[in-house]
Amino acid sequence: MIFFVFSYNRGPHLRNCIESIEFCAPDHQIIVYDDASNDPETRQILNDIEVRHGVRHRNDKDSKNQHGALYTNMQRALDAVEGDELICFLQDDTQLVRRIEAEDIRLMENYFETFPTAGFLAPVFQKAITRKRTLDRFVYYPDRDVFVCEHSSRKQVAGVYYSDISVTRSDRLRKANWQFISGEYENEKQAKAHFLEMGYLRVPFAMWLPNPPAYRNKKKSFTFRLAEIINKAGFYPFNIMDAESTRKLSQHPTSKVPIAEDYLTVTDETLKSPWIYDPLRRYRFLRKLAKFEALLKR
């Protein structure tokens, strides 16, 4: 499997992501696509990684999109794959949380072989902060041995057919003439037109790090900076699961989707639970302040 990791100005997170792959999947290829990071620490870490793995740099900046050049880089990564390969897309604020065994690879390969219209697999846990009615939409499909998010709402959502953090096959995307579009919702619609609902692995192996520093359009608004201070945004890596923890996860009941807080631990035990992944998520007054700030900028 090829791991593509997409990076921008979060050096410690990127190093942690790469080291987690090296430990959990040591026999697999790693290539980093960096979106013109200008932070000196991140640039030094990229130089260190380049000694061991491929690093692709992007010097021109797409300042019109909150994701920067993420989707451009994802397409560059896909186009660079010459053969028919199993590939995993990660970002610098994610990491592998357990060892990937040969059986994991066989299960994923078999999934794509068995279901010719399968496009993506999600390798991540769900978040405890997610609303219960959303978590209840995850249903286990025995014939596929994955969870599927059943969503009948007309509201625009992502995560039913597509996710930026995913496993796929290069030949499957090429056959569908796939071109990454700028926006997760847009790629969700594209995936819906071509593929089955995305399968969520019954035994996930990756997760977003909680409470990371983040950017919107490669910038931080006043409210966003304030929210990061209030929520103590920082670097909170996960402990790698040991054999017993992994065994417990593999025996998880299929009556509900696996939740990160039930199986993972962070190295900083003082981090408040449930974990958040967006600094505006925990407190309503911050979301209201962000909307007010956006109105003032119009």
Side-chain angles (χ1 to χ4, degrees):
M1 183 158 61
I2 304 174
F3 288 91
F4 290 118
V5 180
F6 302 95
S7 159
Y8 178 70
N9 272 2
R10 288 189 289 203
H13 292 72
L14 173 62
R15 179 169 53 202
N16 176 73
C17 180
I18 299 303
E19 290 178 350
S20 76
I21 302 171
E22 291 173 335
F23 183 81
C24 295
D27 298 326
H28 299 271
Q29 186 178 7
I30 304 171
I31 302 177
V32 176
Y33 279 78
D34 182 65
D35 191 9
S37 291
N38 54 23
D39 167 58
E41 180 183 29
T42 301
R43 293 174 68 90
Q44 180 57 56
I45 288 171
L46 284 164
N47 290 337
D48 294 341
I49 292 171
E50 199 163 10
V51 175
R52 311 188 302 281
H53 307 290
V55 175
R56 309 289 183 261
H57 297 277
R58 180 178 173 83
N59 295 319
D60 52 322
K61 300 180 181 180
D62 178 2
S63 60
K64 297 180 181 180
N65 189 279
Q66 69 168 337
H67 300 288
L70 170 62
Y71 298 105
T72 300
N73 279 335
M74 292 180 78
Q75 189 63 46
R76 289 175 65 203
L78 176 61
D79 290 343
V81 180
E82 296 181 355
D84 299 340
E85 301 282 352
L86 191 68
I87 56 180
C88 180
F89 293 120
L90 297 174
Q91 293 178 24
D92 51 10
D93 63 337
T94 63
Q95 74 163 77
L96 300 195
V97 297
R98 66 171 180 86
R99 287 186 178 274
I100 295 181
E101 307 292 350
E103 179 63 17
D104 294 304
I105 301 297
R106 282 195 294 270
L107 285 170
M108 290 185 285
E109 291 280 15
N110 183 64
Y111 179 81
F112 288 107
E113 291 294 333
T114 304
F115 303 102
T117 57
F120 296 94
L121 282 168
V124 294
F125 295 75
Q126 292 304 305
K127 306 165 184 176
I129 201 167
T130 305
R131 293 178 179 177
K132 186 178 185 303
R133 65 173 179 266
T134 300
L135 292 175
D136 288 344
R137 295 189 181 114
F138 286 89
V139 178
Y140 178 68
Y141 281 37
D143 61 325
R144 305 186 204 176
D145 194 25
V146 296
F147 289 90
V148 169
C149 181
E150 296 184 336
H151 201 292
S152 59
S153 172
R154 294 182 180 179
K155 182 180 179 181
Q156 194 178 46
V157 296
V160 178
Y161 290 86
Y162 170 84
S163 173
D164 291 340
I165 309 302
S166 58
V167 175
T168 185
R169 283 196 61 92
S170 57
D171 51 321
R172 188 61 48 86
L173 295 189
R174 281 198 296 266
K175 185 177 180 180
N177 295 316
W178 181 274
Q179 293 286 319
F180 283 99
I181 307 170
S182 186
E184 202 163 16
Y185 295 130
E186 287 70 20
N187 286 310
E188 170 82 12
K189 289 187 290 185
Q190 181 181 192
K192 184 178 181 179
H194 291 287
F195 302 127
L196 282 175
E197 303 95 336
M198 181 170 61
Y200 286 78
L201 293 180
R202 182 174 55 82
V203 186
F205 59 76
M207 191 56 188
W208 293 275
L209 267 60
N211 208 10
Y215 299 86
R216 294 292 184 271
N217 193 22
K218 290 193 172 182
K219 298 178 181 179
K220 296 179 189 282
S221 66
F222 168 78
T223 306
F224 205 81
R225 289 179 182 276
L226 176 63
E228 288 191 339
I229 293 171
I230 292 174
N231 287 297
K232 298 181 180 179
F235 177 47
Y236 302 102
F238 294 113
N239 294 305
I240 300 296
M241 299 175 70
D242 59 20
E244 177 58 26
S245 298
T246 302
R247 184 194 64 79
K248 179 183 175 184
L249 173 62
S250 69
Q251 296 176 351
H252 178 85
T254 57
S255 56
K256 64 176 184 176
V257 67
I259 304 296
E261 283 85 341
D262 292 341
Y263 294 96
L264 304 180
T265 59
V266 290
T267 56
D268 186 342
E269 297 179 356
T270 66
L271 184 64
K272 187 175 181 179
S273 182
W275 303 325
I276 59 171
Y277 302 84
D278 180 333
L280 301 178
R281 182 69 175 85
R282 194 185 298 279
Y283 300 113
R284 184 176 298 177
F285 83 90
L286 288 170
R287 295 194 293 276
K288 290 183 176 180
L289 183 60
K291 290 180 180 179
F292 179 69
E293 184 180 8
L295 286 173
L296 290 178
K297 290 181 179 181
R298 289 181 181 177

